[in-house]
Amino acid sequence: MFLSGSLVLPARRLLVALAYCGFFAVAAIGLALDSPWLGLRLVPQGDGVVVRSSAGPSAQVPAGAQLVAIRAGGTTLDLAAGDLQEEPDVADTYEQMDAFFDRQSQLAAVIAAPAVTLEWREQADAPLRETTVRPDTRPMSSLPMAFWFQLLVSSAGCLIAAWVWSLRPGEWGVRMFAITGASFPAFAMPAAVYSARELAIDGGLFRTLSALNHWGSFMFGAALVSIFLCSPRRLV
């Protein structure tokens, strides 16, 4: 990818970078839409989970209600604020991280059932109510703005770096800058997928996306340090 010379035109290098960004973007959108959709936008509040807005299958659940538990096939899972944490690496130990991924798998299995019963209450002291919904295919309009922002910024960063590299591919500082750009989609788009989940995704997929996020972040950091070792004056 980083070979210099005039055999590969800058425009072709940019097309390769565009295809690279497009691959990650399509994969991220596909994975984000692949999970069953309850029609809820949830936020943590205290130790519990609160419905910010509802639509589609769960339109009967009012905004502001506390979602207490979900049930399907004889399995009932009480919900906690920790189920909505965006990044799994905030855990203090690997055991806690493994427990989080296992919990996500359990929640995802319940949501994947043909019918899911939501247990909720309008206020903390209100009686518990139940609503049975049939999860639907997740529409693209349900993806939050933060998801699209991460896709846009990571693609823009990658294309800017590819543009600079395509003009001066023989310089090591520029090559390191190109690696930082290539790392952008590798760590931002996996994070966009699991941070845009409605409630849960499969724990194995979550673990893979988290590992890719870590790898891309490490590559970005290493390349960024290398830029200062190569430019404006080569040190090593």
Side-chain angles (χ1 to χ4, degrees):
M1 181 177 180
F2 298 107
L3 293 177
S4 61
S6 59
L7 296 178
V8 181
L9 298 177
R12 293 182 180 178
R13 297 189 181 108
L14 285 175
L15 287 176
V16 171
L18 184 62
Y20 174 79
C21 294
F23 168 79
F24 271 98
V26 170
I29 295 172
L31 290 173
L33 297 179
D34 189 52
S35 301
W37 182 60
L38 298 174
L40 297 173
R41 182 158 294 181
L42 305 172
V43 293
Q45 187 175 90
D47 295 330
V49 174
V50 172
V51 178
R52 172 175 289 178
S53 63
S54 59
S58 302
Q60 296 180 0
V61 181
Q66 180 183 5
L67 187 60
V68 178
I70 58 175
R71 185 175 74 246
T75 300
T76 301
L77 296 176
D78 295 330
L79 300 182
D83 295 326
L84 298 179
Q85 68 181 37
E86 293 189 0
E87 291 291 342
D89 51 12
V90 299
D92 294 329
T93 64
Y94 286 111
E95 288 77 12
Q96 293 178 358
M97 187 180 296
D98 290 339
F100 173 76
F101 290 135
D102 292 340
R103 169 75 171 176
Q104 284 285 297
S105 292
Q106 295 171 9
L107 292 169
V110 172
I111 296 173
V116 179
T117 299
L118 309 176
E119 299 182 6
W120 57 276
R121 55 170 54 100
E122 292 191 29
Q123 298 176 353
D125 55 350
L128 195 64
R129 302 179 63 177
E130 294 185 355
T131 300
T132 299
V133 302
R134 295 188 177 276
D136 201 353
T137 302
R138 188 175 190 180
M140 193 173 296
S141 59
S142 69
L143 296 175
M145 287 300 299
F147 174 85
W148 300 109
F149 179 77
Q150 291 180 83
L151 263 61
L152 177 63
V153 171
S154 60
S155 297
C158 180
L159 292 176
I160 290 172
W163 172 57
V164 174
W165 167 74
S166 66
L167 298 177
R168 307 181 71 175
E171 297 185 12
W172 276 103
V174 175
R175 293 174 180 178
M176 294 302 104
F177 182 56
I179 293 178
T180 64
S183 302
F184 252 123
F187 74 78
M189 294 192 187
V193 174
Y194 58 70
S195 63
R197 71 189 189 280
E198 183 180 35
L199 175 61
I201 58 175
D202 177 73
L205 173 61
F206 206 146
R207 189 189 301 271
T208 300
L209 293 173
S210 179
L212 185 58
N213 171 261
H214 288 171
W215 177 83
S217 299
F218 289 141
M219 288 294 294
F220 177 86
L224 186 62
V225 172
S226 298
I227 289 176
F228 295 102
L229 296 178
C230 300
S231 180
R233 181 179 180 181
R234 186 168 178 175
L235 301 178
V236 297

